[in-house]
Every structure is written in C-alpha cells, then in structure tokens.
Amino acid sequence: MTQNTISTKDGTQIFYKEWGTGQPIVFHHGWPLSGDDWDTQMMFFSSKGYRVVAHDRRGHGRSSPSATGNDMDTYAADVAAVTEHLGLRNAIHIGHSTGGGEVIRYVARYGGGGRVAKAVTIGAIPPTFQKSASNPDGVPLEVVNGIRAAVLANRAQFYRDLSTGSFYGYNRPGAKVSTAVSDNWFRQAMVGDIKAQYECITAFSETDFTADLKKITQPVLVMHGEDDQVAPLATTSRVAAKLLKNGTLKTYPGLPHGMATTHADIINEDILAFIRT
C-alpha cells in the first residue's frame, strides 16, 4: 500500500491512496468528502483482484487548499494528472454525486486511447443539478443558495445535520441509523478547506454535462437510489442514461443518496457484475 501526493500545474498537492494489482478502479468522492468515503469499496474490490485508487479532490480531505481551480474542468484535469502519474490504463472510473460529474467530465475529455474501459455513477449530478430553463424540474436556486448560506454561517452544523438526516435517509421513519457512519462523514467534511468546498457548490450545481454524456462511448452503469433526497433521480440519472451511447440505468427502491455506504453489500456486487460483464 502506498499513500502519496502529486503536484498539479498550479502547484496544488493532490493526495491519493492506492493498493493492489490488476485492472485499475479509480474512485471519485462526493462533496464535501474525501477518498476515505470509498474505504469499503476499496477493500472489497482489492480483495477481488483489482488495483484500487482514490484521490482527495483539491481543497478536500488531505489535498492542499486551493484558492483557484475549484471547478469541474480543473477537477477532471487533476484526475488526469493522477492517472498519468500512476500509468493507469483500461481503468474503471466510479463516482458518487459530485464525483459522478467528475467521472463524466474526465471520461469525456481524457478517457480515450485505452485509458478508460467502463464507468459507474452513483447518485450522480449529471446532466444538470440546478433548476434552469433547460432543467425546469431541477433543484431550485433558493435551495442551492441555502446550502451556500449554511456553509458560510456554520458549516459544522450544516454538515452535522446533513450527515444525520437526508444524506443517508436517516430522517425517514424506521431508518436504521448509524451514528458512526454520520461521524465518519462529518470527519471527512471538516478536514476540507471551506473556500474550496464553498466554490465546489457552484461546480456541482451549475455545470452542464449534457455534451460530455453524449460524447462518451464506453459502457456506463448509472446507479441511483429511488429515495435519493439530495440528487433528484428524475432530473439527473434518468436523463443521463438516455444521453449516453452505452448507458444502463439501475435504480434501487427506497435507497438513499448515500446508498454505497448504507447498502454497500448490494452496490458492490452490482458494480462487480457490471465490471465483469
């Protein structure tokens, strides 16, 4: 096992961890977390004979704070720098939420030439997250602005509320609540830089991935919980799967935005089956 950093063109230090041998699987985390959100998946897939890699997005986790470049184009370029440094070929890229958008942008721009074999998105934001003329049923601007205001006012409280509420569906009647899971989410979020996390809100809410989705030719598994209270299924993954040339939509009744954690046993096996197909 190695833990390392690379320096991007603008001097930002991107942290990554990787271990194992075999076909590479690269994991892209959601906002405002870190590569640690994939620990369960990394242990599972490394045990199945894959080389697993997870990075911390700039300004998140153990990567250095970034005053600039907190946008989807730069995020994808940072991933390209990591994959080039590690010499990854024929890789599987898996992204959750904002990380799903990062996967789509990365694969569309850098995934040719044998670099990417397949991709998976989980509860992801593409093609667009925020309500607009082209996405009239998206998340209203006032909701997104509410996130901005809450992060500025008291991000610790906002992150605590999100991790104990809608993110994992813990606000649903009869939900099986894990304080440890919420605490781990909170731990990851608070390590990150507030400026980078704040600017990432614009990246995940306003970026349009329509052209990226149409460009991708590799097989993509689009996974989404039907009780996702963060990224609305109807305006994100249902639309994204139709825009992909080789996309497959798989939805999960009753599962939340953070289903890769709460239902890792189901999600991991379904990803493994897709990879092996």
Side-chain angles (χ1 to χ4, degrees), residues 10-173:
D10 67 357
T12 301
Q13 299 294 306
I14 302 296
F15 172 90
Y16 68 88
K17 55 184 179 179
E18 59 106 8
W19 61 83
T21 58
Q23 185 178 18
I25 301 179
V26 182
F27 295 95
H28 305 239
H29 65 81
W31 176 90
L33 305 175
S34 74
D36 288 353
D37 203 42
W38 294 108
D39 283 354
T40 301
Q41 282 70 36
M42 291 183 74
M43 295 298 289
F44 174 83
F45 285 101
S46 63
S47 75
K48 300 297 182 182
Y50 293 91
R51 179 184 180 186
V52 294
V53 180
H55 73 292
D56 292 355
R57 188 171 299 117
R58 59 172 52 217
H60 294 66
R62 291 144 293 195
S63 291
S64 62
S66 178
T68 60
N70 299 306
D71 58 81
M72 203 57 65
D73 288 350
T74 308
Y75 297 158
D78 290 346
V79 174
V82 173
T83 58
E84 183 70 20
H85 174 75
L86 295 175
L88 304 185
R89 309 284 297 175
N90 194 38
I92 313 294
H93 283 260
I94 301 176
H96 173 243
S97 196
T98 298
E102 185 178 272
V103 164
I104 295 301
R105 180 59 51 90
Y106 169 80
V107 175
R109 294 196 173 183
Y110 303 97
R115 294 182 186 88
V116 177
K118 295 181 178 180
V120 179
T121 64
I122 305 173
I125 57 176
T128 53
F129 181 80
Q130 186 173 295
K131 183 178 180 179
S132 65
S134 61
N135 185 29
D137 297 319
V139 176
L141 175 60
E142 54 266 31
V143 173
V144 176
N145 283 339
I147 296 171
R148 290 188 175 99
V151 169
L152 285 177
N154 187 343
R155 69 168 176 157
Q157 188 61 59
F158 177 72
Y159 292 164
R160 178 67 75 192
D161 293 343
L162 184 57
S163 64
T164 59
S166 61
F167 194 94
Y168 294 115
Y170 290 163
N171 57 340
R172 296 305 197 198

Side-chain angles (χ1 to χ4, degrees), residues 147-204:
I147 296 171
R148 290 188 175 99
V151 169
L152 285 177
N154 187 343
R155 69 168 176 157
Q157 188 61 59
F158 177 72
Y159 292 164
R160 178 67 75 192
D161 293 343
L162 184 57
S163 64
T164 59
S166 61
F167 194 94
Y168 294 115
Y170 290 163
N171 57 340
R172 296 305 197 198
K176 184 179 179 181
V177 176
S178 170
T179 301
V181 166
S182 295
D183 286 349
N184 188 43
W185 194 104
F186 183 78
R187 173 191 66 83
Q188 293 175 66
M190 290 306 296
V191 170
D193 174 61
I194 187 171
K195 185 177 190 297
Q197 291 177 346
Y198 181 80
E199 292 180 356
C200 186
I201 298 169
T202 297
F204 75 65

